[in-house]
Amino acid sequence: MLAAVVAAAGLGVTAWGTLMSARVAEDQLAQSRVQNEERERQQASRITYWQEPASPSNTVIANRSLDPAAVSIVVTDFGVKPYIADLGMVPPCSRVVIPETLLWDAHPKKANDPFPTMQVGAILIEDANGKQWYRSYDVLSPAQRDLPLLEKATEANEAVTMWSRDVKVEPLDECGSAN
């Protein structure tokens, strides 16, 4: 009888140990997923954009990563469907300044109206691994066609390639692996 109780207690301890090992393995797997996601987004998270407030305003794209990236700009204005302006490869550790006039001149369906109010709604980034990212002022996510702004721009089926001597490329001082 005593042997049966000892054996049952031994099985109970073994079961508890197995359960704890499974929980630890589950936590390690979750941690590994988070680290992989962070590693995957690393380059895209180092590419940002903004519009300078001067009139006409310039759009600035900064690539603080150590790799070049293909960048397209999703341009919106009031009254005309958004369109995608393909900037091409943005060099590593660089700041690219695009005059507003260049974005407007690249518009595939320009209205006869004078300069409308234009805004960069987002940028599309293709990182060194070929993964595409959507970056707006407040979101960085994998690019998906069902994002509303991207859906409208691709519905319009309008994309233009834009690069000229008017685009200024400047080196960045801070670049690379800084967290």
Side-chain angles (χ1 to χ4, degrees):
M1 172 93 165
L2 181 60
V5 172
V6 171
L11 284 174
V13 169
T14 302
W16 181 81
T18 302
L19 179 64
M20 290 298 112
S21 293
R23 285 186 179 169
V24 167
E26 196 174 291
D27 288 346
Q28 287 174 337
L29 183 60
Q31 179 69 27
S32 177
R33 280 189 194 124
V34 168
Q35 288 173 342
N36 285 341
E37 288 172 10
E38 288 173 359
R39 204 172 313 130
E40 196 173 75
R41 326 167 41 103
Q42 190 171 13
Q43 182 183 10
S45 70
R46 292 183 177 150
I47 301 171
T48 56
Y49 75 98
W50 63 92
Q51 286 187 278
E52 295 176 334
S55 184
S57 67
N58 292 328
T59 298
V60 178
I61 297 175
N63 180 0
R64 290 181 176 84
S65 76
L66 297 174
D67 292 307
V71 175
S72 297
I73 303 168
V74 182
V75 182
T76 62
D77 63 40
F78 301 103
V80 181
K81 281 191 172 188
Y83 68 97
I84 298 173
D86 181 23
L87 186 59
M89 295 302 279
V90 174
C93 303
S94 64
R95 178 180 194 266
V96 178
V97 180
I98 306 151
E100 184 179 43
T101 53
L102 188 59
L103 283 176
W104 181 240
D105 289 343
H107 197 296
K109 290 186 176 176
K110 271 193 276 194
N112 291 329
D113 300 334
F115 237 66
T117 302
M118 294 181 54
Q119 174 180 328
V120 173
I123 60 174
L124 302 174
I125 303 163
E126 184 173 329
D127 66 19
N129 296 320
K131 181 152 183 163
Q132 295 185 335
W133 298 90
Y134 171 90
R135 178 174 213 113
S136 65
Y137 285 115
D138 58 349
V139 172
L140 173 62
S141 65
Q144 300 169 357
R145 296 268 180 224
D146 63 349
L147 292 165
L149 181 60
L150 192 51
E151 194 173 81
K152 286 181 188 175
T154 53
E155 256 176 33
N157 203 21
E158 298 292 350
V160 294
T161 302
M162 173 196 65
W163 194 266
S164 83
R165 65 181 180 276
D166 297 330
V167 174
K168 294 180 199 154
V169 179
E170 304 163 346
L172 286 173
D173 293 333
E174 295 179 22
C175 181
S177 61
N179 292 330

